[in-house]
Amino acid sequence: MRKILFLTGGISQGKRGFARKLWKIWFAETKGTETAACREADGKTASWEEFQQADIAWNLQEMARRILLSKEGQADFAADKEESLEARAARLAEEIPDRIIRSGCQKIFIADEVGCGIVPMERLEREYRELAGRTACRIAASAAAVWQVTAGIGRCIKGSAVPEKNEDAGIQEAGRQVKTEQMMKEETDMEKEHGTGVNEAVIPEEILTEIEMQTRQAAKEFLEAARMKPGQILVVGCSSSEIENFRIGTCSSRLVGERVYQTLSEICREKGIYLAAQCCEHLNRALILEEEAVRRYGYEPVNVVPQLKAGGSFATAAYHAMEHPVAVEEIRADGGMDIGDTLIGMHLKPVAVPVRISVKRIGGANVVCARVRPKFIGGERAGYDSELA
């Protein structure tokens, strides 16, 4: 496997620390051992050769500046004395990413966002900014995956947050066992750090606010498109780990679960819709509903209290926030939202129909929505009610 990953974001936002975690997940196995040393290079000081050979190369924008303006960079990229600054910047915007892509190396490149703010008055700074932006665009276009990192939290904005199978069959076969052992070790380390896979870290309010805004937008779009009515049930599965760009079930966050539940509960309450919070697979995807809904639909209660690692943060938040929470093993809901690939389909009525909304992710978690409709019966001679379709 020879893949490039690309990280971008504001200055001092934890991109390097996030990149080191990604390197272990994506590339450590191909080095022959999960503890292989990771070579790093700083674009401010490293030579072009060191920068290109590193496993994690950061300050890509500074390397572009040095290549454009320094004698060393001009030597590496064969500057023409008759070449204007504009022409040189335009040429390097093609040549720098082309060399990186053609090298066939697997690595992580990191670049600060430099295109925001006031356009510089100095010609040199304008050409540098243009070069840095075009270089980042070319590399991001060829990268297997791209992340935007804020406050140490990465959001995958292109590709998959986890690696696909190795393209090289030899590496694939040899790396299978290493990958399994690595994942087990990561889960063990996560449990040691967060207490059996629970993330108790304080999450910045701006991150929680963004999650709330995404959740609110997704819910409003879905409920409008699905035409759900008062008294109907919306089932929601939510992985706080996936929202925070971790693998489902490995980093359950109480704060994230509570914020998502509070947002959805408020919207459902305004519309008179019952909210069913799906637990994780450790509780066989049981559900938490208000007692009123359970009695109305005749569901059979069961005895279980969800927790962060046995039920999940979302269902736990629901259990503690509802006036009279009741757990049931199964329902037949009228609509559903799946936040983080939690598999809610088993609790939907037949026939389920996908609903497309503009919000594709909440944090790092995939968002998939579905409504239900009555079955069409009677064949080609029958007429149908378009309001039920």
Side-chain angles (χ1 to χ4, degrees):
M1 177 176 63
R2 296 292 181 263
K3 295 182 183 293
I4 291 175
L5 309 184
F6 184 67
L7 275 63
T8 187
I11 190 171
S12 302
Q13 290 295 319
K15 295 186 290 297
R16 268 183 288 164
F18 188 78
R20 290 169 186 141
K21 296 177 183 178
L22 284 183
W23 187 83
K24 291 180 181 178
I25 296 172
W26 278 75
F27 299 141
E29 66 185 46
T30 64
K31 301 293 182 180
T33 171
E34 62 188 76
T35 59
C38 176
R39 299 170 298 174
E40 299 184 13
D42 183 355
K44 288 184 178 180
T45 57
S47 67
W48 169 250
E49 183 179 359
E50 292 170 337
F51 191 75
Q52 200 169 15
Q53 292 178 353
D55 296 308
I56 298 177
W58 46 290
N59 272 330
L60 173 63
Q61 76 286 348
E62 293 297 332
M63 176 56 73
R65 180 198 289 273
R66 291 169 58 206
I67 292 173
L68 176 65
L69 302 177
S70 71
K71 291 183 179 179
E72 178 186 356
Q74 293 173 11
D76 285 335
F77 283 78
D80 187 339
K81 292 183 179 179
E82 302 300 324
E83 192 176 36
S84 67
L85 179 67
E86 292 84 352
R88 176 169 171 74
R91 175 172 63 83
L92 290 175
E94 301 286 335
E95 190 170 348
I96 292 173
D98 281 351
R99 287 198 191 185
I100 289 172
I101 295 166
R102 287 200 310 267
S103 70
C105 295
Q106 58 183 32
K107 63 174 59 197
I108 301 175
F109 282 98
I110 305 173
D112 291 343
E113 292 180 351
V114 297
C116 301
I118 300 173
V119 177
M121 295 182 62
E122 298 83 0
R123 186 166 65 98
L124 289 176
E125 287 300 311
R126 290 198 301 274
E127 292 301 330
Y128 150 66
R129 181 180 288 195
E130 185 74 12
L131 170 60
R134 289 183 180 275
T135 300
C137 287
R138 290 284 304 279
I139 294 175
S142 298
V146 179
W147 280 263
Q148 187 175 44
V149 182
T150 303
I153 298 175
R155 177 186 304 168
C156 187
I157 57 177
K158 174 192 172 182
S160 174
V162 295
E164 300 172 355
K165 291 182 179 180
N166 294 327
E167 296 169 358
D168 181 7
I171 294 177
Q172 179 180 345
E173 198 62 36
R176 241 177 226 151
Q177 184 61 34
V178 173
K179 189 180 185 79
T180 302
E181 294 174 358
Q182 178 183 335
M183 291 174 63
M184 292 175 62
K185 179 179 182 297
E186 286 177 353
E187 290 189 11
T188 301
D189 291 343
M190 183 72 72
E191 290 181 356
K192 290 179 180 178
E193 181 178 355
H194 297 299
T196 64
V198 174
N199 180 9
E200 297 179 350
V202 176
I203 299 174
E205 179 59 31
E206 57 266 27
I207 300 297
L208 292 173
T209 299
E210 183 176 5
I211 291 171
E212 177 183 336
M213 292 173 59
Q214 293 170 337
T215 303
R216 187 177 301 278
Q217 180 68 23
K220 286 186 173 181
E221 285 188 26
F222 168 69
L223 291 178
E224 181 178 352
R227 303 196 299 268
M228 291 189 65
K229 301 175 182 178
Q232 291 185 323
I233 297 178
L234 170 66
V235 59
V236 176
C238 173
S239 168
S240 60
S241 300
E242 291 283 332
I243 289 177
E244 291 195 272
N245 285 290
F246 292 100
R247 188 163 58 83
I248 188 170
T250 62
C251 198
S252 188
S253 169
R254 176 182 59 82
L255 294 176
V256 171
E258 288 177 347
R259 186 61 62 96
V260 174
Y261 174 76
Q262 290 166 3
T263 304
L264 292 175
S265 176
E266 175 187 333
I267 295 172
C268 288
R269 188 165 53 249
E270 290 174 355
K271 295 185 176 295
I273 294 171
Y274 294 119
L275 177 59
Q278 180 178 278
C279 300
C280 71
E281 62 183 293
H282 295 92
L283 297 187
N284 296 329
R285 298 190 176 90
L287 307 110
I288 307 300
L289 295 91
E290 284 284 6
E291 183 180 22
E292 178 185 341
V294 174
R295 291 183 180 277
R296 177 171 181 171
Y297 286 96
Y299 296 135
E300 182 179 353
V302 295
N303 187 354
V304 70
V305 177
Q307 303 174 56
L308 291 187
K309 284 296 291 179
S313 64
F314 179 69
T316 300
Y319 189 88
H320 291 289
M322 290 181 179
E323 292 185 11
H324 302 288
V326 175
V328 299
E329 286 191 291
E330 59 182 2
I331 62 173
R332 286 293 178 262
D334 304 281
M337 290 183 63
D338 188 327
I339 305 171
D341 305 320
T342 60
L343 303 179
I344 60 167
M346 62 189 288
H347 295 305
L348 289 172
K349 294 177 181 177
V351 175
V353 179
V355 175
R356 312 295 184 188
I357 61 175
S358 65
V359 181
K360 305 302 181 185
R361 288 178 178 271
I362 295 176
N366 294 323
V367 177
V368 178
C369 301
R371 62 179 177 87
V372 300
R373 63 163 175 78
K375 298 177 182 179
F376 291 151
I377 63 171
E380 61 183 10
R381 296 185 181 182
Y384 300 104
D385 185 345
S386 62
E387 291 297 318
L388 298 178

